[in-house]
Amino acid sequence: EAGVAQSPRYKIIEKRQSVAFWCNPISGHATLYWYQQILGQGPKLLIQFQNNGVVDDSQLPKDRFSAERLKGVDSTLKIQPAKLEDSAVYLCASSPDYNSPLHFGNGTRLTVT
Amino acid sequence: DQQVKQNSPSLSVQEGRISILNCDYTNSMFDYFLWYKKYPAEGPTFLISISSIKDKNEDGRFTVFLNKSAKHLSLHIVPSQPGDSAVYFCAASDPNTGNQFYFGTGTSLTVIP
């Protein structure tokens, strides 16, 4: 089966600019996650979708971050405006249901200068 | 608030010997635990899991042990191989928060040939 696809792989922007990341989960996986991984730390959940509904977005900085999941399949994560501390790897993951392992994409490495 | 902790940032082991990676957690409601392996520039890859109703799960060279009373789990790799060199993350799931997965900060394993 095809894995979780993410694009772009790398992005460099200046602070106060906007950026968007795209994720295509494994076919049939109902649950989709966006994680932020800062260098030297473990992945931190930003938002969790079940189909196209939000399950948990309590750790999403909603003044600058937004996310949507189109028709319960693809998802986009946007940052506007970006800050220096947003420099991180943004990982998308999907799973078929609760208490199943997450399948991760290769991530997008964002550098904010 | 780090609910899942990996207190050893790095570990070096000789090829053929046992690698033991440790993980501690604070939330007694966690009921599902996973280990992930991550190579540079790739997303985490699922390795092995264990449910809280068990205290051991084996898959080939990999065994996970769970001690619920101590809130501790460990991953044993026997025998260790150079290809096992990677960063290992433990993760735990809380059914009370939509099965959100909480990750540790990772342990970098180096297997010396």
Side-chain angles (χ1 to χ4, degrees):
Chain A
E1 76 186 350
V4 175
Q6 288 189 247
S7 68
R9 287 299 310 273
Y10 305 93
K11 190 74 177 179
I12 300 173
I13 61 172
E14 295 182 353
K15 59 184 179 183
R16 290 187 290 274
Q17 287 188 322
S18 63
V19 64
F21 313 126
W22 173 82
C23 173
N24 180 243
I26 292 173
S27 178
H29 280 196
T31 310
L32 184 147
Y33 307 77
W34 282 102
Y35 281 86
Q36 179 192 58
Q37 185 175 15
I38 293 172
L39 187 64
Q41 299 182 19
K44 184 187 85 170
L45 180 69
L46 292 175
I47 188 166
Q48 177 182 344
F49 292 95
Q50 180 74 12
N51 295 310
N52 60 354
V54 175
V55 174
D56 186 345
D57 63 356
S58 58
Q59 298 185 80
L60 187 73
K62 298 181 187 62
D63 57 334
R64 300 184 300 106
F65 286 65
S66 64
E68 61 178 0
R69 189 175 184 192
L70 307 172
K71 298 180 181 178
V73 182
D74 291 7
S75 178
T76 56
L77 176 70
K78 296 179 181 178
I79 307 175
Q80 181 179 13
K83 292 185 175 181
L84 295 176
E85 58 261 36
D86 298 331
S87 295
V89 175
Y90 290 84
L91 294 161
C92 179
S94 68
S95 69
D97 49 38
Y98 286 153
N99 271 8
S100 292
L102 307 185
H103 299 257
F104 283 89
N106 284 330
T108 296
R109 179 175 295 279
L110 173 68
T111 302
V112 182
T113 63
Chain B
D1 180 22
Q2 190 72 25
Q3 299 192 52
V4 178
K5 299 176 184 178
Q6 294 175 258
N7 293 319
S8 297
S10 61
L11 175 68
S12 291
V13 172
Q14 289 286 341
E15 180 178 3
R17 306 294 289 268
I18 184 171
S19 295
I20 300 176
L21 296 95
N22 294 303
C23 180
D24 296 296
Y25 60 95
T26 57
N27 187 344
S28 59
M29 299 305 295
F30 287 152
D31 67 349
Y32 183 54
F33 303 86
L34 308 93
W35 283 94
Y36 281 84
K37 177 179 180 180
K38 185 180 183 305
Y39 293 119
E42 294 184 11
T45 302
F46 169 69
L47 200 54
I48 192 169
S49 65
I50 188 167
S51 165
S52 60
I53 62 173
K54 295 185 175 181
D55 55 15
K56 178 183 174 181
N57 189 27
E58 269 184 276
D59 184 0
R61 297 185 296 113
F62 302 92
T63 303
V64 56
F65 295 92
L66 175 62
N67 183 333
K68 284 178 292 183
S69 60
K71 296 191 183 68
H72 177 83
L73 68 156
S74 60
L75 175 67
H76 292 209
I77 307 174
V78 184
S80 300
Q81 299 173 354
D84 296 330
S85 297
V87 177
Y88 290 79
F89 292 96
C90 64
S93 169
D94 182 351
N96 295 317
T97 59
N99 284 86
Q100 176 182 157
F101 286 93
Y102 296 85
F103 283 80
T105 51
T107 296
S108 178
L109 173 66
T110 301
V111 180
I112 304 165

